[in-house]
Each structure stands twice: as C-alpha cells, then as structure tokens.
Amino acid sequence: RRQRQMCIRDRPIRHPDYCFPLLPPQFQSWLTEILTCSDAVICISRTTRDDLLSWLNEQPLGNRSPNLPVGYFHLGVDLENSLENNEVRPFIRNFFSSAEPCFASIGSFEAKRNYPFILRVFEELWQKGTSIRLLLAGRATAEYAEFLTKIKVHPDYGNNLLVLQDASDAEISYIYQQCRCLIMASSYEGFGLPLIEARARGAIIIASNIPSFREIGDEGVFYFNLQDGDSLKAILFQHTLYDFKTTIKPMQPLQWKDSALACLTTVNRLLSLE
C-alpha cells in the first residue's frame, strides 16, 4: 500500500493575486494530481486543514481519493541559549534607545504583509504628534523595489522610521525582545511562525484578525481589523501608553522536537498505524 503524505503550506488557489501569474494554475494542477495518489494529507494548522477540506468539497470526486484523511500539527520554536549584544549593529541598538516606543514589523517585503498599510497608519499618527517609531525588517523583493526606494527618502527616515533588508538572526531576536510590539498585518498565513517566535521571546503582538493568527495566539496577541486603519491606530495608541510586556509573560511554545513528534503522531493516526 502506498504511504505518501503531503504537507500543504501555502494557498495560491485562494489568493492568486499574491502570487506570480504562473503559480496558481501550476499549484492547482499539482494539488489535483497529488491528491489522487496520496493516502493522507498533513497541514501545518487547523486553519489550513479546514481550508483544504473546504476546497476538496468543491472538487469533483474524480479529482481526489475518496475519504482522504486530513490532519494537522503545529510548528515549533527552539530559542537560542544566548544573545551577544555585540552581534547587533550599533545603529539598530541606537534606534531602540530612544524614550519613544518602537514598534516593528518583520517578514519579507511582499504584498500579503501590507507594509504600505502599516506605514500609512504611522504617518497619520506622526501627523497628529504621536511620538512612536517604526522599524521594518525583511528580505527585499522585486515587487516592493519601488516602495523600498521611496521609503529611503521618507521625511521621517532615520528618525522615526528605519528599514533593514539584511538583519541577522541575532538582530531579529534583538528586535523581538526590544520592540514595544511586533505588528503582523498579513492578509493571510498558513500558520504564522514569526508570531510564535516573537511571543516566545516575550514580544507583544499586534496582529491582523485572520483565522491562523487566532488559532495560535495567546493573551499576548492583540487583534485589529485589516480593513480599518482606525482599528490599528487605536491599538497602537493603547500600547504607546502602556507596555504590556510588564504584565504578560512570554509564550511557552512547542519545541521543534515536540512539533516533530506531533507530526509523526498525526501521520500514524491518519494511516491507522497506532
């Protein structure tokens, strides 16, 4: 008997506008074909599993194995044992040394993460005299080249605004620990590993109200409506006045060994091996 499992990580079928034009049809062709010869499907979140099941119910029976078992598990985090301060460049430490609260957003510069939306909200707050800072860190992409070029000549750049395109792992950990909040404004995510990584380091999260973030968030995650800039502004103002890190403990996430065990347990259950 075949014993093949498939891990569904992304959803270009549901969100083709966030993908290169060739990817959605290629992905759908691959997904349709692989579902006809798989014994089980493993997803990285309940949200992704439910989305896949919904999509399967929309497909003709000939495009999938009947009664295909589908399960999920959660990803893990292993924290570094130490963080040497000299691994963080001085200008980054200086950006966080101001008395003004500094908020950060981390992730590759791509459309689904809504960096222009975040910047517009901060611009409105700066115009009203709100003293806060914003740091954006992520890998540059061709689709965001124009945005990154413009941001370097922004009137607040270097003062209230900073962009990093080459942050090291040590610097990302430092940002997680030092920022007042990490802003995650994604339109969709299959899981949201940075949320777990940041919360494990004690960061407070301001996250878009999407199902995957709701699934993995704890009391240290505050949600806003991505369609409403005022919703984000209200939460930012709340966190400008009070640092919730003083009262909310870091998350205790799964370690990667526990995540791997959960994956294996799910595989065995789906294939009725235990």
Side-chain angles (χ1 to χ4, degrees), residues 68-270:
L68 183 68
V70 181
Y72 74 93
F73 70 105
H74 282 169
L75 304 180
V77 172
D78 288 337
L79 298 178
E80 297 90 351
N81 293 326
S82 63
L83 175 65
E84 295 296 333
N85 210 34
N86 59 14
E87 295 177 343
V88 179
R89 286 170 286 181
F91 76 93
I92 297 176
R93 294 200 299 271
N94 290 339
F95 193 75
F96 284 97
S97 65
S98 170
E100 292 116 5
C102 182
F103 297 81
S105 189
I106 295 175
S108 57
F109 287 93
E110 53 184 307
K112 72 174 184 178
R113 296 214 163 90
N114 295 301
Y115 283 114
F117 168 79
I118 296 173
L119 181 58
R120 283 196 301 270
V121 169
F122 271 79
E123 287 174 333
E124 292 174 9
L125 290 172
W126 289 331
Q127 290 173 1
K128 293 180 180 179
T130 306
S131 297
I132 54 176
R133 291 184 165 193
L134 174 63
L135 184 149
L136 306 177
R139 177 179 55 84
T141 60
E143 63 181 313
Y144 259 59
E146 183 178 354
F147 173 79
L148 292 170
T149 299
K150 288 182 178 180
I151 209 170
K152 291 295 182 66
V153 296
H154 193 283
D156 284 290
Y157 192 81
N159 296 315
N160 294 325
L161 176 64
L162 185 65
V163 172
L164 300 176
Q165 299 177 45
D166 59 350
S168 66
D169 289 343
E171 288 169 342
I172 294 298
S173 293
Y174 181 84
I175 294 168
Y176 284 152
Q177 295 174 50
Q178 297 297 320
C179 69
R180 177 61 60 91
C181 296
L182 181 72
I183 303 171
M184 300 186 67
S186 296
S187 298
Y188 78 95
E189 294 286 351
F191 181 74
L193 187 57
L195 186 153
I196 300 296
E197 292 177 336
R199 281 294 299 124
R201 291 168 174 83
I204 301 300
I205 310 294
I206 298 175
S208 50
N209 189 16
I210 59 175
S212 57
F213 288 166
R214 282 285 187 181
E215 178 181 343
I216 62 178
D218 66 351
E219 63 177 346
V221 183
F222 296 75
Y223 299 96
F224 70 94
N225 182 355
L226 193 55
Q227 309 305 317
D228 181 7
D230 289 338
S231 173
L232 176 56
K233 278 188 281 188
I235 295 179
L236 286 170
F237 187 71
Q238 177 188 15
H239 287 268
T240 298
L241 297 177
Y242 183 75
D243 186 355
F244 284 86
K245 284 190 290 188
T246 61
T247 56
I248 297 178
K249 295 181 179 179
M251 176 188 288
Q252 298 297 319
L254 287 175
Q255 293 185 330
W256 276 114
K257 63 179 182 180
D258 299 318
S259 175
L261 179 60
C263 179
L264 181 60
T265 300
T266 302
V267 169
N268 289 335
R269 177 177 56 80
L270 294 175

Side-chain angles (χ1 to χ4, degrees), residues 13-14 51-61 63-64:
I13 293 174
R14 297 298 197 197
D51 195 21
L52 177 63
L53 289 173
S54 176
W55 182 82
L56 282 170
N57 288 332
E58 300 166 9
Q59 307 309 306
L61 287 177
N63 288 352
R64 59 186 172 96

